[in-house]
Amino acid sequence: MIIVTGANGQLGRMVTERLLERVPAREIGVSVRDVDAAQDLGAKGVRVRMGDFTGPATLAHAFEGASKVLIVSTDSTGETAVRHHRTAVEAAAKAGAQRILYTSHMGSNPSSPFPPMPDHAATEEALRQSGVPFTSLRNGFYASSAVMLISAALETGVLAAPEDGPVAWTAHTDLADAAVLALTGETLTDAAPDGVTPALTGPEAIDMAGIADILTRLTGRPIRRVVVSDADYRARLLSAGLPEHAADMLVGLFAASRDGDFAPADPTLADLLGRPTVRMEDYLKSALAPAR
């Protein structure tokens, strides 16, 4: 039984749907907070059980009979995120899982200025201490995150953000395929003998100036990259109604990119998949098509 957590989310759902193409449905289970939202998977024969990272007892039920568990990282940060992930790791170990997989990040670093990165580093340490063989998928920065960062620029023609560095933007589809390989074979296990994979990224690392150039080509109108200070950017976010913790996280994102935490691009993902990974320009072309 392969268990996937967060199967109602974007990555978890993609992984589950791709697993169904390779594994009998009766050998797949999903752990979700909202069982009703996963009933379409249940109709296909997938075992659907409620599992909440805040409740170890629910995870014991959701992980019952697991041979492998994919823990998809939560959208929380800080001590809450680490506690949730540790609870899931402990539950997978108690369920007898032979391998635990976790969706980490290429920028995993206990001293990173981007808040989710220390959380990933702490979770990887929990995996090491679990005593269970594990694979930490060091995923590249989600390409979908860029859409949020450029939304104002599409309206104003100005991409105003702090000084940044290149980011190896990576499509969910490619990362989902890699997770399925890790769950159904030994490919990624071989590539990560110490449990941590190389960076699993798209084919190129692009900074905000490069993103502005792509948007200019895609939209047919000039998109100008303007560098603003961290303080000014944070103030603009707060004035737009963003909570302080969210504003600080976005400022930290740019600080971490300046430090090179999200680059360079790595060929490992394309090599594992046996095909080219999605280019950022192609991703944005598809993502922006409805609006255009």
Side-chain angles (χ1 to χ4, degrees):
M1 178 70 71
I2 296 174
I3 306 296
V4 179
T5 74
N8 286 333
Q10 186 175 2
L11 184 59
R13 178 55 66 106
M14 283 187 181
V15 171
T16 305
E17 290 175 347
R18 282 161 169 74
L19 273 175
L20 281 167
E21 298 172 1
R22 300 171 64 106
V23 177
R26 66 179 181 277
E27 297 177 11
I28 303 171
V30 295
S31 170
V32 294
R33 285 180 293 181
D34 184 352
V35 171
D36 291 339
Q39 284 309 307
D40 59 317
L41 294 174
K44 296 176 182 178
V46 174
R47 190 183 80 183
V48 178
R49 291 186 177 179
M50 199 282 280
D52 191 321
F53 286 6
T54 65
T58 69
L59 294 180
H61 181 61
F63 293 177
E64 182 183 6
S67 59
K68 296 179 182 178
V69 176
L70 174 65
I71 299 173
V72 178
S73 56
T74 70
D75 56 4
S76 55
T77 57
E79 191 274 333
T80 298
V82 175
R83 183 175 68 252
H84 288 172
H85 295 158
R86 283 177 176 159
T87 297
V89 169
E90 291 169 1
K94 289 179 180 178
Q98 298 165 17
R99 178 168 294 274
I100 304 172
L101 299 95
Y102 170 70
T103 59
S104 186
H105 199 286
M106 68 180 297
S108 174
N109 181 346
S111 60
S112 173
F114 185 42
M117 300 304 101
D119 303 342
H120 287 305
T123 301
E124 289 178 343
E125 184 56 32
L127 286 164
R128 292 185 184 96
Q129 295 175 2
S130 71
V132 178
F134 72 92
T135 302
S136 183
L137 302 165
R138 285 279 184 92
N139 290 342
F141 214 104
Y142 292 153
S144 58
S145 300
V147 178
M148 177 267 296
L149 295 173
I150 64 176
S151 58
L154 294 173
E155 297 180 5
T156 65
V158 176
L159 181 50
E163 179 186 352
D164 68 315
V167 174
W169 305 102
T170 312
H172 274 77
T173 51
D174 291 335
L175 295 172
D177 285 342
V180 169
L181 285 178
L183 287 165
T184 59
E186 297 300 322
T187 307
L188 273 171
T189 303
D190 295 340
D194 62 348
V196 177
T197 69
L200 304 175
T201 78
E204 53 195 346
I206 305 173
D207 61 12
M208 285 291 109
I211 295 295
D213 290 341
I214 291 173
L215 294 178
T216 296
R217 290 194 295 272
L218 292 180
T219 63
R221 57 188 288 252
I223 304 293
R224 184 165 53 96
R225 166 69 166 116
V226 173
V227 176
V228 300
S229 69
D230 287 2
D232 183 40
Y233 185 67
R234 183 178 186 276
R236 293 185 187 192
L237 294 174
L238 294 175
S239 67
L242 213 64
E244 285 196 17
H245 71 88
D248 290 339
M249 184 160 64
L250 287 175
V251 171
L253 185 162
F254 286 99
S257 73
R258 289 196 296 267
D259 291 343
D261 288 358
F262 311 133
D266 191 291
T268 297
L269 181 56
D271 291 345
L272 289 168
L273 299 180
R275 60 169 174 78
T277 48
V278 177
R279 296 172 58 246
M280 189 57 174
E281 183 156 351
D282 293 333
Y283 178 86
L284 288 176
K285 182 178 181 179
S286 176
L288 301 179
R292 290 169 36 235

